[in-house]
Amino acid sequence: MRDGRLGVKSGHGFYDDNDQRVAELTLKLYQVARQLDSDSA
Amino acid sequence: MVSGTRTLDGPLGLVGAGYIGHLFAQQFALAGYEVRAWSPGTSVRTLHDRLRQSVSTLAEIGVVEPSDIDDVVGRVSIHDDLATALTPCAAVMESIVEDAEVKSACYRDIEAVIGAEVLLWSATSNFPMTQLAAGMAHPERAVVVHPVQTQLIIFVEVVAGEHTSEETVTTTMRFCDDVDLRAVRVRKEIPGFLWNRVWFSMLREMLHLVDIGAADPLELDSIVQTTLRAFVPVFGPLQMTDLIGHDTLRDISNALYPNSRLTEPHRQRSNS
């Protein structure tokens, strides 16, 4: 189990997120982080 | 906001009218249920005033029509004795002091004035129903309905005791749906249930970090607020572990907490 990102790569996580779903959520993380930056500026 | 369905046919009893009792009374009355309140102390005397204030605030934010405030508050009646309050009720919500002996004694008093089929809900945040209901004539009717709340109830944890019937649990879950309360069934009867265990694990660590001088309390608060805001709206914490990798998380956790090691990566999948 040294592959990291276990749920995504091996399909053995809690969620059934596929690559597209992970990409969408990751994009949202960028957006939220940018928003935090602008909120604190 | 009056609910169209009625899982329970009859009014609801409220025993204890402090902060938590107030929140339940408000939730039930907003959904159209009649609430009959009694308290062992004086909290019930101020319940109407507090309800009017909180329902008015809900009207200010658009949850309630201003013209409905009187109706909502009017669904809650105040009573001087337990029997008068509870005798006509289909279920009783208890939210008195967090003392197991006092609660158990209260349940015996409640059982003396209600029918055998009437449900008994406890708002305890800690005690297992198996313990609280040990002296009850009908423990099958008793179940924990613990609110997790801020200014409103966010959700309730429904926790059965050893003798709680499945019918009590399913009726309670349906009722929660009636009154627009998200209900989560706790699958094991464990102290602190779910949320308090999660919450206190973080809170204890934060207090410890402050106590040992590792962090300034305001700065620690700030980084927790910022970091949770940065990912919780997008990923649930367990969903995040899928992304990071259960093996990596397990290794970090075992290095931090060698006395409570995680042995196997979690493999259970959700249906989502």
Side-chain angles (χ1 to χ4, degrees):
Chain A
M1 296 290 190
R2 290 286 161 187
D3 51 354
R5 294 176 47 129
L6 186 64
V8 176
K9 286 186 177 176
S10 66
H12 290 296
F14 289 110
Y15 286 75
D16 287 331
D17 298 329
N18 58 27
D19 287 348
Q20 184 185 347
R21 176 73 177 145
V22 170
E24 290 167 3
L25 293 173
T26 304
L27 180 63
K28 283 188 184 172
L29 285 182
Y30 277 105
Q31 292 167 334
V32 171
R34 287 285 298 164
Q35 184 63 42
L36 290 174
D37 267 356
S38 60
D39 285 350
S40 62
Chain B
M1 196 165 169
V2 173
S3 168
T5 54
R6 278 287 180 277
T7 296
L8 296 174
D9 185 20
L12 306 172
L14 190 78
V15 173
Y19 184 63
I20 299 299
H22 168 192
L23 290 179
F24 276 116
Q26 177 175 270
Q27 192 83 25
F28 299 161
L30 283 170
Y33 277 93
E34 181 193 341
V35 179
R36 300 171 64 85
W38 174 86
S39 68
T42 58
S43 61
V44 80
R45 293 182 197 163
T46 59
L47 181 59
H48 269 157
D49 288 344
R50 286 179 285 135
L51 277 171
R52 183 166 297 281
Q53 191 169 30
S54 60
V55 176
S56 297
T57 302
L58 291 176
E60 284 177 25
I61 63 171
V63 176
V64 180
E65 291 295 327
S67 57
D68 289 341
I69 294 173
D70 285 345
D71 284 347
V72 173
V73 176
R75 288 186 196 116
V76 180
S77 57
I78 306 302
H79 299 272
D80 290 331
D81 70 273
L82 187 70
T84 307
L86 302 189
T87 301
C89 292
V92 177
M93 181 80 239
E94 170 275 311
S95 54
I96 61 171
V97 292
E98 195 67 5
D99 179 310
E101 287 185 17
V102 174
K103 283 183 183 293
S104 292
C106 181
Y107 298 169
R108 290 192 287 276
D109 292 342
I110 291 171
E111 278 201 307
V113 298
I114 60 175
E117 74 291 350
V118 176
L119 300 181
L120 176 60
W121 299 320
S122 172
T124 181
S125 57
N126 185 47
F127 299 115
M129 185 49 85
T130 301
Q131 176 189 351
L132 296 179
M136 287 180 66
H138 294 284
E140 71 278 2
R141 65 160 108 210
V143 67
V144 169
V145 179
H146 170 241
V148 175
Q149 90 291 330
T150 55
Q151 290 305 103
L152 296 172
I153 299 172
I154 309 301
F155 72 97
V156 293
E157 297 172 318
V158 177
V159 197
E162 283 178 19
H163 303 292
T164 306
S165 72
E166 189 58 27
E167 184 183 358
T168 293
V169 174
T170 55
T171 303
T172 300
M173 299 289 283
R174 277 208 315 274
F175 168 79
C176 288
D177 197 42
D178 281 2
V179 296
D180 206 23
L181 272 179
R182 179 179 180 180
V184 174
R185 183 171 183 174
V186 181
R187 300 179 189 191
K188 284 191 177 184
E189 192 182 35
I190 49 175
F193 316 134
L194 300 181
W195 179 248
N196 274 343
R197 292 178 76 101
V198 171
W199 172 237
F200 273 85
S201 67
M202 187 175 83
L203 203 52
R204 277 187 81 238
E205 187 66 21
M206 290 176 68
L207 291 168
H208 175 65
L209 291 172
V210 171
D211 285 347
I212 64 174
D216 171 79
L218 302 191
E219 193 170 50
L220 189 57
D221 246 2
S222 175
I223 63 168
V224 169
Q225 276 187 299
T226 302
T227 309
L228 290 180
R229 281 172 59 206
F231 81 90
V232 169
V234 182
F235 282 93
L238 291 178
Q239 194 175 14
M240 198 64 159
T241 68
D242 281 1
L243 185 69
I244 295 167
H246 288 240
D247 51 349
T248 303
L249 266 295
R250 182 194 54 202
D251 290 345
I252 296 169
S253 178
N254 288 346
L256 278 172
Y257 308 107
N259 294 326
S260 53
R261 294 176 63 82
L262 298 173
T263 52
E264 290 295 322
H266 303 285
R267 291 182 293 270
Q268 182 183 347
R269 303 189 73 135
S270 75
N271 295 320
S272 62

